[in-house]
Amino acid sequence: MRMLIAQLSDLHVRPHGVKYQGVVDSNQMLGEAIEHLLQMDQRPDLVLVTGDLVDEGSPAEYEVAKALLASMRIPYLAIPGNHDHRENFRKAFADQSYLPGSGPLHYCVDDHEVRIIGLDSCVPGHHHGSIDVAGLQWLSDVLQSNTSKPTVVMLHHPPFFCGIPYMDEYRYVDPRPLEAVLKQAGNVEIVLCGHVHRSMLRRWANTVVCTCPSTVTEIDLQLRPTAQPSSHVGPRGCMLHLWDEHIGMVSHTSQIGAFAGPYAFA
């Protein structure tokens, strides 16, 4: 068995004709990211979208985001990020049967070779992340219901300090209870996150946490405690997670854009 999972994150879709932060056309950039996936030598079996689908959580933004994602012609699963609006998200994707009808948008999809668990780490009205006791109990029950099938867990906020001060200010707060729940399971292949607009890796909770680049901008890598918020337009990217029953999960960063080549050497 084999499965190719693509990951897109932090799309920050705006209403038609409005630029992200007044600088770039995030809608066009999402279209380019989708075309990037469609042109791959092996089309992904599933796309995971790890939050911040839109920038301000408005119905007009979700209308655009949903149309763009539909053009992908690949099944996708999405979770909200801190720029999303939980109820507007739920209404926009009401046709997605995996989303719960009320409360945080936690869900489990078990229709593929790899089980996908989506977690809603958003705290309405705030930018940091957290999951309440009820959500952690739900996760524990789902994980314990099948302790052998390879599982991917996704949430928007990475559950660790990344060292970039202006991102750590809006981190997942107190990840220890979540870590304790995940440690109970021995079949979590990887935890996938967004939020930081960069690719990062960390060993955690007896598995690996991987963050995804944004399709729009890259948050600058600044580690000085006094560093001020800063981003650049690019490099943009997505992640590809290849699961194989014999080798497990292998993750790749795939940059979006035109580059010189190909050349006849490896």
Side-chain angles (χ1 to χ4, degrees):
M1 294 186 292
R2 182 182 173 101
M3 184 176 183
L4 182 61
I5 302 170
Q7 181 186 0
L8 299 175
S9 199
D10 298 88
L11 318 177
H12 291 279
V13 166
R14 303 295 340 264
H16 288 296
V18 180
K19 291 185 175 181
Y20 171 61
Q21 299 295 326
V23 175
V24 292
D25 188 342
S26 55
N27 301 350
Q28 178 181 329
M29 289 175 163
L30 174 55
E32 292 170 356
I34 290 171
E35 186 62 24
H36 177 76
L37 295 181
L38 295 176
Q39 294 301 317
M40 287 182 169
D41 65 339
Q42 179 180 340
R43 183 168 293 191
D45 301 298
L46 180 68
V47 177
L48 304 181
V49 189
T50 47
D52 283 0
L53 278 69
V54 304
D55 193 48
E56 295 185 351
S58 72
E61 290 177 327
Y62 284 114
E63 183 179 351
V64 178
K66 189 171 182 181
L68 285 167
L69 290 170
S71 73
M72 190 162 53
R73 304 188 304 279
I74 303 172
Y76 68 89
L77 305 174
I79 55 171
N82 55 294
H83 281 264
D84 287 300
H85 184 284
R86 181 178 289 163
E87 295 310 317
N88 288 343
F89 185 109
R90 194 192 319 270
K91 291 176 184 177
F93 297 100
D95 59 332
Q96 304 288 333
S97 60
Y98 58 85
L99 290 178
S102 62
L105 298 170
H106 308 313
Y107 58 84
C108 177
V109 173
D110 205 359
D111 301 335
H112 309 281
E113 286 82 359
V114 175
R115 180 174 61 167
I116 309 295
I117 296 176
L119 297 176
D120 181 351
S121 60
C122 299
V123 181
H126 299 274
H127 286 290
H128 68 273
S130 185
I131 297 173
D132 63 16
V133 173
L136 293 174
Q137 184 60 58
W138 175 89
L139 174 61
S140 178
D141 293 343
V142 170
L143 288 172
Q144 293 306 309
S145 69
N146 189 331
T147 58
S148 59
K149 186 171 183 176
T151 298
V152 168
V153 174
M154 58 174 179
L155 69 158
H156 183 65
H157 300 80
F160 57 82
F161 282 92
C162 71
I164 301 175
Y166 41 87
M167 293 309 299
D168 283 336
E169 184 178 352
Y170 303 115
R171 67 191 183 279
Y172 187 105
V173 176
D174 189 12
R176 290 171 295 179
L178 175 59
E179 180 179 17
V181 171
L182 290 173
K183 277 185 173 180
Q184 299 172 8
N187 56 328
V188 177
E189 293 279 341
I190 197 167
V191 177
L192 303 181
C193 304
H195 192 50
V196 290
H197 289 220
R198 301 187 60 85
S199 178
M200 301 180 186
L201 294 172
R202 189 182 190 277
R203 290 186 62 180
W204 179 76
N206 295 335
T207 185
V208 176
V209 183
C210 175
T211 70
C212 184
S214 168
T215 58
V216 186
T217 57
E218 182 179 68
I219 290 176
D220 290 340
L221 177 57
Q222 299 187 97
L223 303 178
R224 291 177 292 105
T226 57
Q228 297 301 304
S230 179
S231 296
H232 278 78
V233 181
R236 300 174 291 138
C238 60
M239 299 295 295
L240 292 174
H241 309 283
L242 177 62
W243 179 82
D244 183 282
E245 63 177 325
H246 301 296
I247 63 175
M249 186 76 77
V250 177
S251 297
H252 303 262
T253 302
S254 183
Q255 302 293 349
I256 299 167
F259 306 97
Y263 301 109
F265 56 81

